[in-house]
Amino acid sequence: ELAWDGIALDVTEAALAQQALRHSEERYRTLFSSIDEGFSVIDLIFDAEGRTVDYRFLEVNPAFEKHTGLRDAAGKTIRELIPDLDPHWFETYGRVARTGEAVRFINQARALGERWFDVYAIKLGEHVAILFTDITGRVRAEAERERMVEQLRDADRKKDDFLALLAHELRNPLAPIRTGLQVMRLAGGNVDVAARAQAMMDRQLSHMVRLIDDLMDVSRISRNKLELRRERVQLADVIGSAVETARPQIEAAGHDLQVALPAGCIFLDADHTRLAQVFSNLLTNSAKYTGPGGHIYLAAERRGDDVVITVRDDGIGIPAGSLAAIFDMFSQVDRSIERSAGGLGVGLALVKGLVEMHGGSVTAASEGEGRGSTFTVRLPVHVERVSAGVPDELPDAPQGPTRRVLVVDDNRDGAEAMALMLEMLGHEVHTAHDGLEAIEAADRFRPQVILMDVGMPRLNGLDATRQIREQPWGRDMTIIALTGWGQDADRERSREAGCDSHLVKPVNLQDLEQALAAPVPSP
């Protein structure tokens, strides 16, 4: 009988190797499942000519679905999941499989809802491993940032263009004003020459004021600060005012203007002045962009509850590419055209804003360059029908009694010119050139009326007004803010400081005389 003691084999190394492999696989699985990036291993499918025609997902991690939106992809081919996938993906993964060269790229998968992916692909044995991230949000954010940067660049370009244009347009009237002053010095006793120079200077000054007023109006509209003084007005009266305003420029260019209005009265619920401004802007715009001896047509007709007014010309027209932006701020069709009227490119923006405030709309049309333009305004008709009476004529500005007036302005020429004009109107006038001087002069001169500039050195006009109001002798004086600041907030600040009224430079003589004619306390 035989007895076996057995055979002992040392398998420590094999066991350790198997344990290490198991631990390695566990670490791989943990990493595979926990990473935020999408990960997959694919088996490529080639045709007879060696081109990649499809690939099958052997493994996908949990983040795969989050990044792609594809569910249960393991074991399926990409053609089953996305039949119309872009060929770029097949070509790229096929190249990795053939050459063994890893590749990283960013590409858009339109078939996955316009998603963008940052992809890293590497050969893994006979397969290809893919690590990828959905970067759609980042790409869109970058695109939005680029869009905003381009908008800022465009705004900056427009700002530079506008400042250059503003300087040009302000120099245009300033040049003849300066020349007019020189002519008046040289005229000596020639009254006719002096009168012609004065008339020319007045026209140019009015043009400057109109430019600045347009800028201020557009600013107020954009900030919802412009208020309409609505009343029941006749369309014919509005058009008449507009034509009267625009006629000098139309006649200067030798244009023929034809106006056709419907029979009978059409009433609007509107601000007469602002609506007249709309149509005068359209008429002067046509005059500006129509060659000498051109034709301008204004026609109105009733359409249901609306009235439609068209302003048409046979001028330079509007290129198709400019129509969409024609009502934008600082937009001009052709800035190379030098016209005597000039302009800042705010007129049509102002037209659009004012028409829309009246509940209407305005559109532009043109058959192209050199074929004229047509602007169409549609406004709601006022439904109330009452007989139109003859409006009372506005009285001339009253020539008030003689006043003791203190003119306060740090611009000495401005103060001297104002004092000279007031003295010619029969008033007794003193001047001061800053806030502290104003307080001293008011105490010494005891004026009935103070014309107070606001922005001044040493002490501004509002603080000077407050200090004057604190004195017993200054409580009953009439203090009028006379300043270049004309916003509603500026008027409110002057009122809070104690000013009785607020006039904006350059002040109209009629407005100034009305302010001076207001009752003041007896001396």
Side-chain angles (χ1 to χ4, degrees):
E1 181 176 356
L2 298 174
W4 296 88
D5 292 332
I7 299 174
L9 297 176
D10 187 352
V11 294
T12 303
E13 291 185 6
L16 291 174
Q18 186 175 11
Q19 184 180 17
L21 180 61
R22 186 168 59 254
H23 289 166
S24 177
E25 184 175 353
E26 289 175 355
R27 287 194 297 271
Y28 165 75
R29 289 297 172 188
T30 300
L31 178 64
F32 184 76
S33 300
S34 63
I35 60 174
D36 290 332
E37 290 80 2
F39 184 78
S40 63
V41 178
I42 61 174
D43 182 23
L44 285 92
I45 302 172
F46 302 95
D47 63 11
E49 298 179 1
R51 292 174 300 194
T52 306
V53 295
D54 204 350
Y55 53 85
R56 186 180 304 278
F57 291 101
L58 302 179
E59 291 186 84
V60 297
N61 72 338
F64 178 94
E65 181 180 335
K66 180 184 76 171
H67 288 283
T68 65
L70 300 175
R71 303 182 61 184
D72 303 322
K76 296 179 182 177
T77 68
I78 193 65
R79 292 291 191 191
E80 294 178 80
L81 298 168
I82 311 175
D84 56 347
L85 186 65
D86 189 89
H88 166 82
W89 302 92
F90 300 103
E91 296 166 1
T92 302
Y93 296 149
R95 187 167 62 252
V96 172
R98 287 192 304 272
T99 65
E101 295 181 3
V103 64
R104 182 171 183 177
F105 62 94
I106 292 176
N107 196 42
Q108 185 181 27
R110 295 181 178 85
L112 287 175
E114 305 292 330
R115 295 192 187 196
W116 286 84
F117 293 96
D118 184 350
V119 184
Y120 179 72
I122 187 171
K123 188 171 183 180
L124 186 65
E126 298 299 321
H127 309 300
V128 172
I130 305 168
L131 184 68
F132 63 93
T133 303
D134 181 356
I135 59 169
T136 305
R138 190 181 81 193
V139 171
R140 289 176 179 170
E142 290 176 353
E144 178 65 16
R145 182 179 64 83
E146 286 298 323
R147 187 185 67 81
M148 293 179 66
V149 168
E150 184 56 36
Q151 285 182 339
L152 290 173
R153 291 195 189 103
D154 184 58
D156 194 50
R157 285 191 295 268
K158 286 183 177 180
K159 177 203 69 177
D160 291 341
D161 289 347
F162 168 68
L163 290 176
L165 183 64
L166 177 61
H168 173 269
E169 292 300 330
L170 291 179
R171 286 192 186 103
N172 274 347
L174 282 173
I177 288 174
R178 169 172 280 183
T179 303
L181 288 171
Q182 295 169 345
V183 168
M184 292 179 72
R185 292 192 191 101
L186 296 172
N190 193 325
V191 178
D192 181 59
V193 171
R196 287 168 57 193
Q198 179 182 343
M200 176 271 295
M201 292 166 64
D202 186 63
R203 288 194 302 272
Q204 295 301 319
L205 181 60
S206 297
H207 175 57
M208 285 185 65
V209 172
R210 189 164 60 250
L211 288 175
I212 296 169
D213 284 346
D214 281 354
L215 275 177
M216 299 301 293
D217 287 343
V218 171
S219 174
R220 292 188 187 105
I221 290 174
S222 65
R223 295 182 294 111
N224 295 319
K225 295 293 186 181
L226 185 68
E227 294 184 3
L228 297 180
R229 298 178 180 177
R230 289 180 179 266
E231 58 182 340
R232 181 174 162 276
V233 299
Q234 285 196 50
L235 175 64
D237 292 340
V238 172
I239 298 300
S241 297
V243 170
E244 182 181 355
T245 300
R247 190 176 293 282
Q249 187 169 341
I250 293 172
E251 292 180 346
H255 298 319
D256 174 48
L257 172 64
Q258 297 183 24
V259 178
L261 299 179
C265 296
I266 293 180
F267 292 96
L268 305 171
D269 178 28
D271 184 322
H272 181 284
T273 301
R274 292 302 186 181
L275 209 51
Q277 187 177 5
V278 165
F279 295 110
S280 66
N281 276 9
L282 290 176
L283 289 170
T284 54
N285 185 76
S286 288
K288 178 179 177 181
Y289 289 107
T290 299
H295 301 82
I296 301 172
Y297 310 87
L298 187 152
E301 63 174 322
R302 177 75 180 268
R303 296 182 188 173
D305 293 333
D306 296 333
V307 61
V308 177
I309 306 99
T310 58
V311 177
R312 179 168 55 90
D313 61 63
D314 54 6
I316 67 172
I318 306 171
S322 299
L323 275 172
I326 196 68
F327 293 105
D328 289 352
M329 188 73 162
F330 310 135
S331 174
Q332 288 186 332
V333 172
D334 187 355
R335 288 184 180 173
S336 65
I337 299 176
E338 293 293 340
R339 308 280 184 180
S340 60
L344 296 174
V346 301
L348 292 181
L350 185 56
V351 164
K352 183 175 186 292
L354 289 174
V355 168
E356 290 179 350
M357 288 183 70
H358 281 86
S361 63
V362 58
T363 58
S366 176
E367 294 183 3
E369 295 185 55
R371 306 190 67 178
S373 308
T374 300
F375 291 87
T376 303
V377 175
R378 181 181 290 268
L379 293 166
V381 173
H382 188 25
V383 295
E384 181 182 352
R385 294 290 184 268
V386 295
S387 59
V390 178
D392 296 333
E393 292 186 0
L394 291 175
D396 293 334
Q399 178 65 51
T402 298
R403 307 289 194 196
R404 293 194 313 281
V405 183
L406 173 62
V407 176
V408 185
D409 197 327
D410 63 323
N411 185 321
R412 292 179 179 271
D413 287 339
E416 182 180 349
M418 178 62 71
L420 180 61
M421 182 176 69
L422 292 174
E423 287 173 352
M424 293 176 69
L425 292 173
H427 302 290
E428 181 183 356
V429 187
H430 283 209
T431 60
H433 304 297
D434 62 52
L436 295 180
E437 282 188 23
I439 297 170
E440 295 171 0
D443 186 13
R444 183 178 63 255
F445 177 49
R446 299 295 172 90
Q448 295 168 295
V449 180
I450 301 177
L451 299 180
M452 182 73 76
D453 188 21
V454 172
M456 294 186 295
R458 296 214 296 168
L459 187 68
N460 68 59
L462 298 184
D463 289 338
T465 298
R466 292 186 182 95
Q467 293 192 29
I468 290 172
R469 291 300 191 202
E470 291 173 355
Q471 305 302 320
W473 47 261
R475 293 170 186 166
D476 295 327
M477 290 179 179
T478 297
I479 303 180
I480 302 170
L482 183 58
T483 173
W485 300 100
Q487 299 289 337
D488 291 341
D490 302 316
R491 297 176 186 276
E492 180 63 20
R493 279 192 288 270
S494 65
R495 185 190 65 78
E496 291 175 350
C499 294
D500 296 286
S501 58
H502 186 111
L503 297 178
V504 179
K505 297 177 182 178
V507 66
N508 181 278
L509 177 59
Q510 186 180 35
D511 294 336
L512 181 61
E513 287 185 319
Q514 286 179 337
L516 292 174
V520 297
S522 301

